[in-house]
Amino acid sequence: MSFGTGVPSVQIGDLKDGDFLLDVREDDEWQAGHAQGALHIPISEFVARYGELTEAAPQDGRVHVICRSGGRSAQVTMYLAQQGIDAVNVDGGMQVWAAAGRPVVTDEGKPGHVL
């Protein structure tokens, strides 16, 4: 899925262990399965919970934004870029994450799945 030249993006294969990942999917999607270590702030609550991101994100690091397929994360990526944050959209989202064999877990650390 492409969102044009205005949205900075990365491929799943470009992500390294330890990269800061922000998951903007809704609670039911998160509970079904997510990337371990990701910060979860649903897009529907993002503006109200923005401070949680600024506290958790690396000061001079990049924020990798992910959702199910890349649409919602592209919106959040653009918002963050407007705030002066180095943010990139993860192309293909959690669907491509799982298809690439990256681990998807529940809050209990058990295998999860992408809704």
Side-chain angles (χ1 to χ4, degrees):
M1 189 172 287
S2 176
F3 292 94
T5 57
V7 180
S9 62
V10 295
Q11 302 296 314
I12 294 290
D14 296 330
L15 294 174
K16 298 170 190 61
D17 289 343
D19 281 346
F20 186 83
L21 193 63
L22 170 66
D23 190 323
V24 298
R25 296 174 303 146
E26 295 303 320
D27 287 336
D28 61 331
E29 295 171 287
W30 171 266
Q31 290 166 2
H34 54 269
Q36 189 163 358
L39 173 66
H40 178 230
I41 303 177
I43 192 171
S44 61
E45 302 172 13
F46 189 76
V47 174
R49 294 176 58 188
Y50 179 74
E52 291 177 42
L53 171 67
T54 59
E55 286 182 20
Q59 292 301 319
D60 294 322
R62 176 171 279 180
V63 176
H64 300 82
V65 188
I66 197 165
C67 66
R68 182 174 186 265
S69 62
R72 290 171 286 178
S73 53
Q75 294 174 42
V76 172
T77 298
M78 290 304 293
Y79 175 82
L80 292 174
Q82 291 168 354
Q83 307 309 309
I85 293 176
D86 181 10
V88 292
N89 186 37
V90 178
D91 271 349
M94 287 298 297
Q95 290 178 318
V96 173
W97 177 279
R102 297 268 184 135
V104 177
V105 298
T106 65
D107 283 338
E108 294 78 32
K110 296 179 180 172
H113 63 279
V114 178
L115 282 184

